[in-house]
Amino acid sequence: YQAVQYDRPLIERVVTVTGKKIENASNFWVKIGTPIKDLVEEVGGLPEGTRKIVNGGPMMGKAIKNTDVPVTKGTSGILIISEDEASRQEAKNCIRCGQCVFVCPMGLEPHLLMNLSEKGLYERAASEDVMTCIECGSCSYVCPSHRPLLDYIRFGKSIVKKLNTSKN
Ligand code: SF4
Ligand code: SF4
């Protein structure tokens, strides 16, 4: 609305900073470029035992190594996760339950895309539409074998993107 009505570019946005152990979880209206470090300070700093800092939401956000990075237009929130919440269960073999296929909003076969990326079969992954994955994380969330589906799919996508760029 602001872009169309007032010719105003996106220069600020709302960022939620939260986490179970955060003292003063808050929403901030900040300029793009604001250091994430400053927002974390505002909510009481990183609690002891912090294991992960996620830039974005719990499903689609990406872990960041530290808070010395700026807010970008995609920074919907900063999620601070403690050691006990972040622990991943050990990945087991695929039991072919089909849950990942059932939940995929894009009609993909996440178990297949993961296998193709794991085995380096990127051309085949491309032909199986890996690039249409919207990285919602639903497949990883429901997998009873705790398989890191999205991690491998993201990796496969990055390689396919590079391959496509080098062809053009
Ligand atoms: S992350 Fe990708 S493959 Fe997995 S459910 Fe979402 S769209 Fe489908
Ligand atoms: S949800 Fe997990 S176990 Fe089930 S088919 Fe998909 S990858 Fe295999």
Side-chain angles (χ1 to χ4, degrees):
Y1 171 78
Q2 291 189 353
V4 173
Q5 289 296 321
Y6 302 119
D7 204 16
R8 191 166 186 260
L10 181 70
I11 56 167
E12 50 192 16
R13 66 157 301 143
V14 173
V15 179
T16 303
V17 184
T18 189
K20 281 190 182 163
K21 297 199 173 156
I22 292 295
E23 289 171 24
N24 310 307
S26 308
N27 291 321
F28 296 99
W29 186 267
V30 295
K31 297 267 189 301
I32 305 291
T34 303
I36 287 175
K37 190 169 52 183
D38 292 357
L39 302 182
V40 173
E41 287 302 316
E42 284 292 321
V43 297
L46 285 180
E48 208 172 300
T50 294
R51 170 72 189 279
K52 261 190 187 173
I53 305 163
V54 176
N55 185 347
M59 298 292 278
M60 298 179 69
K62 289 182 182 157
I64 52 177
K65 280 190 181 163
N66 59 56
T67 53
D68 283 326
V69 287
V71 166
T72 64
K73 68 174 184 177
T75 308
S76 54
I78 301 298
L79 183 58
I80 296 169
I81 301 177
S82 62
E83 183 76 44
D84 44 329
E85 294 172 288
S87 59
R88 277 195 181 195
Q89 302 210 42
E90 188 190 345
K92 299 200 178 83
N93 290 337
C94 173
I95 56 171
R96 304 199 181 281
C97 66
Q99 285 295 313
C100 55
V101 179
F102 182 71
V103 298
C104 179
M106 301 306 291
L108 300 170
E109 291 188 57
H111 63 93
L112 172 66
L113 296 176
M114 173 181 164
N115 284 346
L116 294 173
S117 295
E118 199 175 8
K119 290 177 179 152
L121 301 171
Y122 306 116
E123 298 280 353
R124 172 85 196 282
S127 69
E128 295 289 345
D129 288 335
V130 71
M131 296 308 283
T132 62
C133 166
I134 57 170
E135 303 186 15
C136 66
S138 304
C139 51
S140 296
Y141 185 76
V142 298
C143 177
S145 295
H146 311 295
R147 295 183 63 70
L149 294 154
L150 180 55
D151 301 69
Y152 275 99
I153 292 171
R154 265 191 187 139
F155 179 70
K157 280 179 74 178
S158 69
I159 302 284
V160 170
K161 197 173 175 188
K162 273 188 202 153
L163 292 174
N164 289 345
T165 313
S166 62
K167 276 182 201 162
N168 295 332

